[in-house]
Amino acid sequence: MLHSPSDHKKRSLGLLLAALIAVLGLPLWSLGAKAASVPTSLGLALQGITAHKEGWIYVYGGKGGMVNGVRATDCAGLLYSYYSDCGVSGCAGGATSQVRQNTIFSGSLQQGLPRIHGLALTNSEPGGYAHIGIYIGGGESCDNSMEGINMVRATVEERHWDGWHLFDLGTKYPKDGWYEFDGKMVHYTSYEYDVDTEIDGYIIGNDGFACLEDGEAAPVDEGLLSNTWVPASEVAGYLESQGWSGSDDPDDVPFDYNATVSAANVNLRSEPNTSSRVVAMLSKDTKLLAGTAVEGQQVTVRGKKYSMWYPVSTASGKNGYISEAYVELHLSAPVITFDGEGVCMTASGSPEDIYYTTDYTEPKLEDGALSLSTTPYVSPVCQVSCTYKAAVIKNGVVGPVTTATVMSNGAIFTDFQYKDWFAANVDQAVALGLFSGNGNGKFNPRGSITRIQFIIVLANMSGEDMDGYTLDKGTFTDASPSAYYARHLAWAVDNGLVVPGGKLSPNQVLPREEMCVLLDKYLTNILGITEVNASPVEEFDDDASISGSAKEAVYKMRALGIVTGVGGNRFDPLGTSQRGAACRVAVLFHDMFLET
């Protein structure tokens, strides 16, 4: 608040009088109650609300003492009173001193306001701050304004605040979960309170408070409340990661870069060639805002030829061109997930910079505009059983492309596309619960299927609960009872698909003839089918290579159409099947004998 010279004279006289009375022992001031505790941002916000409810009065230089039965502060004294009540020293001084000494991170209201209770709000003046208050959430603030007006509770816009600040002084902040505030419940997610949503059955309005269906404030449920509190430094790190400036200067906006210089002493040129004027010499890791690369003079760096040049801007305002040989792009590849209802895409930076295709082409620009197949990502996409290619496109620069094939049940794999011949079979096998991925978003469809992997497929096909099976020690010399597949293997042993004793070689690739034997045993031992109505088939040209014990099963599966040869009327009995091909075999077998 700005004050006239006469105001300052009055205050000076008032302070002198207070000092004289104090010396004479007359009771003008009495301190408010103090209770040592850890300060929290919610506590600071509540201090502002309480001061307004109780009608604290404005006294220049007041720090929360009592005047005629009412606590008295000035604007900075309101904040001081909270920390003093908590037994924390160091919050003395006016608005300028408090911001410069006690806050750890700031921002301009022109750039928005984080949803964090207990932020300090300020009005600036040349060289400092004219006034300070407390953000209490819901777009409102409390401040002790001036003589004759005292405590004010109003919207941030009505009070014309222009800066916000994150207090430290040991202050703890909410992170995730439910917290009690002003006798109600608020919910924080990643350091900010939630609004306009529903969590745990409670409706949260735009003021951040949990409500019941009738609109009444929800009673505080002590069992839901979180005990997670974090230091101001952690919140500051979060705010910085979200692009907040760290300064309440509206012109001090973080430089929006998407690339850096990848070598030392690189010339920034006025045109995309080495004969043009040098605008500046840039050091390694200089931040750049790069635009769409253009064709320019070809240069050779470490034996490799480069002909594209990026138009770039630096944080210091210098503009020009740099060869692609010296530019490292920093656009992240999107992450593609399935939330149960749709395909979601996320990437560091702004979500509106994500673009995707579903026709197997990559997101791209043509003459500066999006290609016809490139679609901006707006919200979760409902299409499944297809391949997405997604990339961040910013300032005309296309970042790394993420390829993800989404199955009908929402499973996502990154190592094949839906146009591959086996993709639909993989989709069906995964949806039926017969197969799963190998971890890290990979299915490995072109890898050979192993003996234990196919045993697991058959166990899954049975639909039995594997928890009822235990593999006895010594059943096989190379299969541990604690192995991840032990229960599935025990199921196969108990049902006669695998004969116990000796070595199993569970991770050995499965010969094609043995796959047929296992399927035939499944028919007989699990399904009780001993005879199959199928037309006789001619022998394979490599019939002599098929084991005698496997011939009946091989030809039975051929007659059923479950397996075919490898071409040229050959079966290749000791050859192996890829996992993608094994999916086709499993799906055909399932649909023929188990589909209901």
Side-chain angles (χ1 to χ4, degrees), residues 23 58 147 169 189 245 271 288 300 313 326 329 339 353 416 445:
V23 170
Y58 181 95
E147 292 172 354
L169 283 177
T189 301
S245 67
E271 300 294 336
L288 304 172
T300 302
S313 300
Y326 303 114
L329 294 177
D339 67 358
D353 295 330
F416 68 92

Side-chain angles (χ1 to χ4, degrees), residues 378-537:
V378 178
S379 60
V381 187
C382 295
Q383 185 177 355
V384 294
S385 296
C386 69
T387 296
Y388 289 87
K389 289 179 177 283
V392 172
I393 302 179
K394 190 171 184 179
N395 300 308
V397 178
V398 181
V401 175
T402 296
T403 300
T405 299
V406 183
M407 304 285 96
S408 58
N409 68 341
I412 295 177
F413 300 110
T414 60
D415 54 352
F416 68 92
Q417 300 184 55
Y418 213 85
K419 64 181 178 180
D420 292 323
W421 72 266
F422 51 77
N425 297 128
V426 173
D427 193 348
Q428 289 176 277
V430 170
L432 289 169
L434 307 181
F435 278 79
S436 59
N438 287 350
N440 298 321
K442 308 290 186 182
F443 187 80
N444 191 24
R446 298 174 180 85
S448 296
I449 192 165
T450 65
R451 178 172 287 113
I452 197 61
Q453 286 174 351
F454 198 70
I455 288 173
I456 292 173
V457 168
L458 296 178
N460 291 339
M461 192 180 294
S462 74
E464 285 194 55
D465 183 358
M466 295 297 120
D467 288 344
Y469 291 91
T470 302
L471 184 67
D472 295 332
K473 186 176 181 180
T475 303
F476 298 98
T477 60
D478 58 350
S480 170
S482 62
Y484 74 91
Y485 54 75
R487 296 184 187 280
H488 299 82
L489 180 55
W491 169 88
V493 171
D494 286 3
N495 286 283
L497 274 68
V498 179
V499 179
K503 289 184 64 175
L504 175 70
S505 300
N507 297 314
Q508 177 182 315
V509 293
L510 181 70
R512 286 165 51 82
E513 66 175 18
E514 187 176 335
M515 177 183 288
C516 293
V517 170
L518 287 170
L519 289 170
D520 190 32
K521 287 185 176 180
Y522 191 99
L523 278 180
T524 302
N525 300 355
I526 306 299
L527 301 180
I529 300 175
T530 56
E531 295 185 7
V532 174
N533 294 323
S535 302
V537 292

